[in-house]
Each structure stands twice: as C-alpha cells, then as structure tokens.
Amino acid sequence: MQESPISNQSAETGVVESSNTTRASSRSPLRYGPLRYAVVDVEIGLTDHRIHDIGALRYDGAIFHKASKEELLPFLERVEYLCGHNIIHHDAKYLFEDRQIPWRLVDTLYLSPLLFPERPYHRLVKDDKLVSDQMNNPVNDCEKARDLLLDEMARWWELARRIATSANKSPPSTEAASAKMSNSNR
C-alpha cells in the first residue's frame, strides 16, 4: 500500500465532512504510513426505509457483509477514513443518524465531478446487475467505490504534478507537501 501523510485537519486533506453527522473531537497527529480506510455501502429498503444490507471493505483486505450496523462498528475500529459513494447524504445518515463518529468521511460522489469534469455522469457503473430491480450487492458497490477513490487519488496527484511542472518547479513529494501543510498551521 502506498504511504501517504495523514493530517488531523479536514481542510488539509480535502475530505468533505457531513453536516448531519458530528465528528469526534479527538484526532491523531500528523503521521506517515499506510492509509487506514474502509469503503462502506448500505442498501436501504424502498418502502420501509430500513437497512437491508451493509457491505464494507477495509484497508487490510477484510470484508464485512451483514445487515447489522452494530456489528459493523467493531469492523471499523482501527479505521481513520470512512469512504463511500454518497456516504455523506445517504449511508452515514442510516448508519450513524446523529451520533458522533470518529472517522473522516470521504465521499467519492462529490470528488468525481471535480476531478473528472469530462465524464458525463458520476454514478457508480453497476454492470454486475442482470435485472435492474434486484437488490444491489453492497460489497460489489464498495469495490467499485474503492476503484473510483483510487482513480480520484491518482488524478489528484497527477494534477498536483502538472501544476508544479507548469510553475517550473519539481513536483512536490508527498512528504514535502505534508510538511508544508503542517508548517502553515503554526
């Protein structure tokens, strides 16, 4: 897994935070190491508006596939970033309601049009479904969201390199960019 600096401030990381979900106030200091993230998807019943299925993929390859949000919480115990496609206005609302959460939320739905404006749409492509009215598989949706997140991260760093090159500077390294962010907050 690629090493990346992690900041304790969402403005530095570009992570969008939910307005309907409260963040926990304790944050780890700036560190280097593999990202500890999970991608989550929740399937909600159209008529009863209840959780019918939950899928999650963790940074270490572990998979969660159950309908219990109570069982999901221990699975997410060592996670710092909770990612998903429309996680802010859909999944987090059903999973956490108005409870305080310890994770930084990263929503691929909001990053996609910013990083890929040339794309005509920004929904997940779900070619694994044979019948359009069947229930989605949340683990498959997590895999698609994770792939999109990795594409978004690659585009982010590509744009940073282009900007640095156009300014006749060498592209910033991950460590140099992190150090610069850390120093600007003092």
Side-chain angles (χ1 to χ4, degrees), residues 87-104:
I87 191 170
I88 292 174
H89 288 105
H90 177 72
D91 304 277
K93 179 172 80 172
Y94 290 98
L95 287 171
F96 312 118
E97 295 149 359
D98 289 328
R99 287 187 284 179
Q100 192 174 42
I101 62 170
W103 309 284
R104 295 173 182 105

Side-chain angles (χ1 to χ4, degrees), residues 40 82-93 105-107:
V40 176
L82 199 55
C83 312
H85 201 71
N86 201 16
I87 191 170
I88 292 174
H89 288 105
H90 177 72
D91 304 277
K93 179 172 80 172
L105 298 179
V106 179
D107 201 319

